[in-house]
Amino acid sequence: MVKVAFIGWRGMVGSVLMDRMIAENDFNGFEPVFFTTSQFGQRGPDIGMDIPPLKDAYDVKELVTADIIVTCQGSDHTKEVYPKLRKAGWKGFWIDASSALRMNDDSIIVLDPVNRDVIERGLASGMKDYIGGNCTVSLMLMAIGGLFHNGLVEWITSMTYQAASGAGAKNMRELIEQMAYIGKDAKDLLDDPAGAALDLDKRVIDAMRGSAFPVENFGFPLAGSVLPWIDSEVANGQSREEWKGIVETNKILGTEKTIPIDGICVRIGAMRCHSQGLTIKLTRDVPLDEIAGIISEANDWVKVIPNTKEQTLKYLTPAAVTGRLDVPVGRIRKLNAGSEYLTLFTVGDQLLWGAAEPIRRMFKIAMEYVS
Ligand code: NAP
């Protein structure tokens, strides 16, 4: 029977992956074995069947017995263990949520509703490393994959509004701690309906600038503010998150000529949905109804939201989209700059299509190959 090793299953991405696999009844037809870097011998997740106690995620001899390894553990673990597995002659499928191997020549970035053809070519040529993409890039491609596939994108500039979850579980907690701190500090002013808004404003900013404000993880206030820098610095004044936009999009699509993509990535006080406003230079003038049709026909999850205030505020927000696989796209219109300049706004749950779902679906594809 096919043996599948799961590493990093109890982290944020891993737990969403487990939930989705259980919801889709994926745990059948193979032998699952669960690994940990810190809880050897303890109980694994409740997947509705008997499973052995947790094994050591650094135990190469144990890992090489798996046909497929699915890992959401993180880059440090991948960098340490993956080379040892391949050196030991392991030929199995490595399916990974971390970025460690993403830009390797012999890896494929997986997002099968968008690049199933690239994945199939990889499988046919014997490639064995299939890596989940950056969350913002994956969500952008789920939203406008149709425009790329129809050759309509000359270039894109993006303005992102990224959730706390992209920075990790601790940061999600810190965002709410910051909100709670502000609310508690300003409570007496809030309780007075006749109170002046500027007094409230001063109290809030004093709290945010105070030394007791909880900023251990973000380093700065996010609640009541925005952080226009995500990840480390790379060349040309770009952040690493911004750099990923161009390199990962082009790798996922397997483009022959690089399509320029650039913008500013901004952390905002949403919990787990990334939003992005895109300006797209079209390769030709296409009417808006045709554009909407191309976008909505690209996959089963993208949903075009009519460009009205009511529909936009009801369906095109993190509050509406969190926990859902749908990827709504709205505010679609041509810009004053000219009829080849398109703008739109899209929202997606970054733990689903941004992280766990492409990994789950690649696991199913790999199973077809090894079974
Ligand atoms: P995470 O929540 O920090 O979990 C990673 C591992 O930390 C767990 O599998 C677990 O491993 C260990 N851990 C330690 N204390 C824990 C606790 N109290 N609860 C749960 N787990 C704990 O990491 P993640 O956000 O899921 O990210 C995993 C990888 O996916 C990273 O490489 C990340 O860059 C990538 N990724 C993340 C996102 C995202 O939105 N967060 C999106 C795309 C890709 P042990 O059982 O071995 O201790």
Side-chain angles (χ1 to χ4, degrees):
M1 189 181 246
V2 173
K3 193 166 166 182
V4 183
F6 291 93
I7 311 173
W9 53 273
R10 77 182 181 107
M12 208 161 43
V13 176
S15 327
V16 174
L17 176 66
M18 292 299 108
D19 287 351
R20 284 290 301 137
M21 289 188 69
I22 291 165
E24 296 290 336
N25 199 20
D26 287 337
F27 282 108
N28 61 61
F30 66 93
E31 180 194 345
V33 188
F34 290 87
F35 289 75
T36 178
T37 59
S38 63
Q39 301 190 324
F40 328 121
Q42 294 189 30
R43 277 166 63 97
D46 181 3
I47 56 165
M49 62 195 280
D50 282 341
I51 49 169
L54 296 176
K55 295 181 191 269
D56 179 357
Y58 292 103
D59 185 344
V60 171
K61 280 198 185 120
E62 190 67 52
L63 286 168
V64 292
T65 65
D67 302 283
I68 300 174
I69 296 176
V70 178
T71 176
C72 304
Q73 183 65 37
S75 289
D76 290 347
H77 178 266
T78 295
K79 283 178 193 159
E80 167 137 12
V81 164
Y82 170 87
K84 292 181 185 162
L85 289 173
R86 292 295 186 216
K87 204 170 166 205
W90 181 67
K91 300 261 188 316
F93 282 101
W94 178 266
I95 302 173
D96 192 344
S98 86
S99 62
L101 309 178
R102 240 180 236 162
M103 294 312 294
N104 284 9
D105 287 344
D106 49 5
S107 76
I108 301 273
I109 305 182
V110 294
L111 188 64
D112 70 282
V114 174
N115 73 343
R116 180 78 193 228
D117 56 332
V118 175
I119 294 171
E120 291 296 343
R121 281 202 296 277
L123 289 166
S125 68
M127 289 169 90
K128 290 293 175 68
D129 299 342
Y130 294 85
I131 318 298
N134 169 265
C135 41
T136 317
V137 171
S138 296
L139 290 170
M140 187 262 286
L141 284 170
M142 286 300 291
I144 58 159
L147 298 181
F148 282 103
H149 283 308
N150 282 274
L152 286 174
V153 180
E154 188 173 317
W155 53 253
I156 296 180
T157 170
S158 62
M159 294 291 147
T160 74
Y161 308 81
Q162 298 185 216
S165 59
K170 285 189 201 143
N171 295 63
M172 291 173 84
R173 288 187 63 86
E174 187 169 274
L175 170 63
I176 302 305
E177 281 164 15
Q178 292 186 355
M179 289 174 173
Y181 188 104
I182 292 171
K184 206 169 151 205
D185 201 66
K187 184 164 185 323
D188 59 316
L189 294 179
L190 268 184
D191 287 346
D192 172 10
L198 285 183
D199 292 341
L200 181 61
D201 172 59
K202 180 160 184 343
R203 180 76 67 82
V204 168
I205 200 66
D206 286 347
M208 287 166 63
R209 289 174 180 161
S211 58
F213 198 66
V215 293
E216 198 185 343
N217 295 287
F218 281 114
F220 297 90
L222 177 62
S225 190
V226 298
L227 300 175
W229 195 290
I230 297 176
D231 209 337
S232 51
E233 292 182 37
V234 293
N236 305 331
Q238 268 186 325
S239 72
R240 192 165 179 78
E241 187 77 359
E242 289 149 8
W243 171 79
K244 285 176 181 174
I246 182 165
V247 294
E248 289 196 21
T249 301
N250 281 282
K251 178 163 177 174
I252 290 171
L253 294 171
T255 52
E256 278 170 19
K257 184 168 175 274
T258 298
I259 298 173
I261 297 167
D262 207 347
I264 297 181
C265 292
V266 182
R267 185 81 66 203
I268 59 144
M271 282 295 265
R272 56 180 272 187
C273 266
H274 287 354
S275 308
Q276 27 198 329
L278 305 179
T279 296
I280 303 168
K281 169 69 171 63
L282 298 170
T283 51
R284 59 193 161 86
D285 182 9
V286 179
L288 278 181
D289 56 345
E290 227 178 278
I291 297 255
I294 288 169
I295 289 175
S296 63
E297 280 159 23
N299 62 60
D300 292 341
W301 298 272
V302 62
K303 304 278 178 279
V304 169
I305 307 298
N307 188 22
T308 65
K309 180 177 178 182
E310 193 192 343
Q311 298 282 304
T312 299
L313 297 180
K314 197 166 173 188
Y315 298 115
L316 196 60
T317 66
V321 175
T322 288
R324 303 204 168 129
L325 284 162
D326 288 349
V327 180
V329 182
R331 302 306 325 273
I332 303 174
R333 64 188 180 86
K334 298 288 183 72
L335 288 171
N336 288 334
S339 58
E340 290 177 358
Y341 294 85
L342 181 74
T343 190
L344 55 81
F345 191 84
T346 178
V347 184
D349 187 315
Q350 69 92 217
L351 290 174
L352 287 169
W353 278 116
E357 196 64 4
I359 296 290
R360 185 187 78 80
R361 292 170 63 89
M362 186 60 219
F363 158 71
K364 301 280 285 179
I365 294 170
M367 277 296 291
E368 288 169 24
Y369 267 71
V370 293
S371 309

